[in-house]
Amino acid sequence: MLFGLTFISCIAVGLSTDCIQREIDPSGKDYRGYVSRTATGHKCRIWGYQAQNFPGAGLRENLCRNPGNSYTAPWCHSDDPYGWAACDIPYCEVKECVSMEKDRNGKKYRGTQNTDQHGNTCLDWSETKHSPKEITDAGLEDGNYCRNPITVRGQTSAYRSRPWCYITKNRISYCDIPYCEDLEPTIDDDLESFGLDIGCIPIAEDPTGAGYRGSQFTTRTGKMCRDWEDFDRLVWPNNDLFGGVCRNPGGDDSSPWCHTGPNEWDYCDIPICKERDLVCKEDELMCVEVDQCISKEKNCDGVEDCDDGSDEKNCL
């Protein structure tokens, strides 16, 4: 579920796994499993005070972690000769799907689908403008599989919304690759159980929801939102158009909306915020559920300054 949201992976949805997703997280910086011994068999020591230095690294008890992406694999302090050592954590099995949260646009997809959404066979990347010799980190050397290499448009370089391929030398087409089952939401999902905050719209101050920055990613009819396109971000810069979340860029419409398919869109059902008498200063942020103002500089700084923790939600 959302992109970018303080975001998630198997980790983001509150699930844990004792393997590392090689394509998404090769160094295991987001590993949140339960291995607590080094590769040499020594028991890990408790992280202790270091947990304060890396508040978002999951430094619980004596579990293997890679705080600050400081090494090539999860590790821990131990009785090994150097006082620490890497842990032996296997890589997860590659799935023919895209991780909704950790890799929503599929740029790290390394599956073997080689047909587009209409059944056309993809060309080998070596026969296209995206040469594997020039783009070496996108999996193009694998042949004619769907991938999402970076695309240059004039002065702008960006990724497309999902994996794609060439079906002729001058024509591209998107591939229909599903989101991984363990991350695929339904309209009945409780977003709070995934660590996401739908948020609300202060109707008096923002009647069209132009300033909405919550995590709602389904429409009022229950359809999944598609990622915002590069074109959208060019037309509406500075509107927080990441992943597939509901927004009203530029305040041009009556309420937040999102893309649901090619040339399709729909409005989203965002709750209205309860009326409040609290007024914050210009350099302050109003907490969501409690009558409290904090400095905007404290927003997403890794420390919960709002009593409801809302200043640390939906952070990138």
Side-chain angles (χ1 to χ4, degrees):
M1 315 244 189
L2 202 58
F3 174 85
L5 325 175
T6 302
F7 286 118
I8 318 179
S9 77
C10 290
I11 63 175
V13 292
L15 303 177
S16 61
T17 178
D18 270 317
C19 61
I20 295 172
Q21 300 181 62
R22 187 201 305 261
E23 295 78 15
I24 299 171
D25 182 30
S27 65
K29 65 182 176 61
D30 292 324
Y31 171 72
R32 295 297 184 270
Y34 293 93
V35 174
S36 59
R37 287 186 179 276
T38 67
T40 56
H42 288 96
K43 185 176 181 180
C44 296
R45 297 174 184 167
I46 292 177
W47 288 99
Y49 74 91
Q50 293 193 52
Q52 300 177 9
N53 299 331
F54 299 94
L59 302 186
R60 296 174 46 200
E61 292 85 37
N62 65 334
L63 304 176
C64 298
R65 296 291 184 261
N66 190 7
N69 201 22
S70 54
Y71 190 58
T72 57
W75 58 277
C76 69
H77 294 287
S78 65
D79 291 329
D80 286 274
Y82 293 102
W84 69 278
C87 302
D88 186 15
I89 301 170
Y91 286 114
C92 304
E93 179 182 352
V94 176
K95 296 181 178 180
E96 282 293 333
C97 58
V98 171
S99 171
M100 180 177 300
E101 176 46 40
K102 199 61 181 178
D103 184 33
R104 192 176 178 86
N105 62 5
K107 65 181 180 181
K108 295 188 180 295
Y109 170 73
R110 295 297 183 271
T112 57
Q113 180 162 324
N114 62 356
T115 57
D116 74 349
Q117 58 191 343
H118 304 295
N120 299 305
T121 300
C122 300
L123 292 183
D124 192 294
W125 289 97
S126 63
E127 302 174 20
T128 72
K129 301 174 183 177
H130 285 69
S131 170
K133 294 182 179 180
E134 298 178 5
I135 304 175
T136 59
D137 59 351
L140 305 188
E141 67 280 1
D142 297 335
N144 69 333
Y145 301 131
C146 300
R147 296 290 185 260
N148 190 7
I150 196 165
T151 297
V152 178
R153 297 178 181 175
Q155 300 299 315
T156 302
S157 297
Y159 292 97
R160 297 181 185 275
S161 62
R162 59 192 190 277
W164 54 279
C165 69
Y166 283 92
I167 55 176
T168 70
K169 290 189 176 181
N170 296 307
R171 181 184 174 193
I172 73 163
S173 182
Y174 286 110
C175 302
D176 189 14
I177 299 172
Y179 288 118
C180 301
E181 289 184 6
D182 57 349
L183 295 180
E184 188 170 3
T186 67
I187 190 61
D188 298 322
D189 279 335
D190 177 4
L191 295 189
E192 291 185 359
S193 70
F194 289 90
L196 301 179
D197 179 17
I198 296 178
C200 59
I201 298 175
I203 199 68
E205 299 88 15
D206 185 19
T208 65
Y212 173 71
R213 294 298 182 268
S215 303
Q216 180 62 280
F217 56 85
T218 56
T219 69
R220 58 186 177 180
T221 58
K223 291 184 177 180
M224 273 292 293
C225 294
R226 286 184 175 269
D227 287 2
W228 293 94
E229 299 280 357
D230 299 334
F231 177 76
D232 297 319
R233 286 185 280 272
L234 290 173
V235 175
W236 296 295
N238 305 316
N239 275 264
D240 203 35
L241 302 183
F242 63 85
V245 290
C246 302
R247 293 289 183 263
N248 187 8
D252 298 331
D253 225 298
S254 60
S255 66
W257 56 278
C258 69
H259 297 292
T260 57
N263 301 316
E264 295 179 1
W265 64 277
D266 195 6
Y267 290 113
C268 303
D269 187 14
I270 314 293
I272 303 301
C273 301
K274 63 180 181 180
E275 294 186 9
R276 304 166 72 174
D277 296 326
L278 181 67
V279 177
C280 295
K281 297 178 181 178
E282 186 175 344
D283 61 347
E284 291 182 326
L285 175 76
M286 183 182 297
C287 302
V288 176
E289 297 294 337
V290 295
D291 289 335
Q292 182 183 2
C293 298
I294 65 169
S295 170
K296 288 184 177 179
E297 295 180 353
K298 295 183 177 180
N299 188 36
C300 294
D301 64 353
V303 179
E304 292 186 356
D305 299 288
C306 287
D307 292 342
D308 60 359
S310 58
D311 59 307
E312 295 302 318
K313 294 182 178 179
N314 305 324
C315 299
L316 293 177

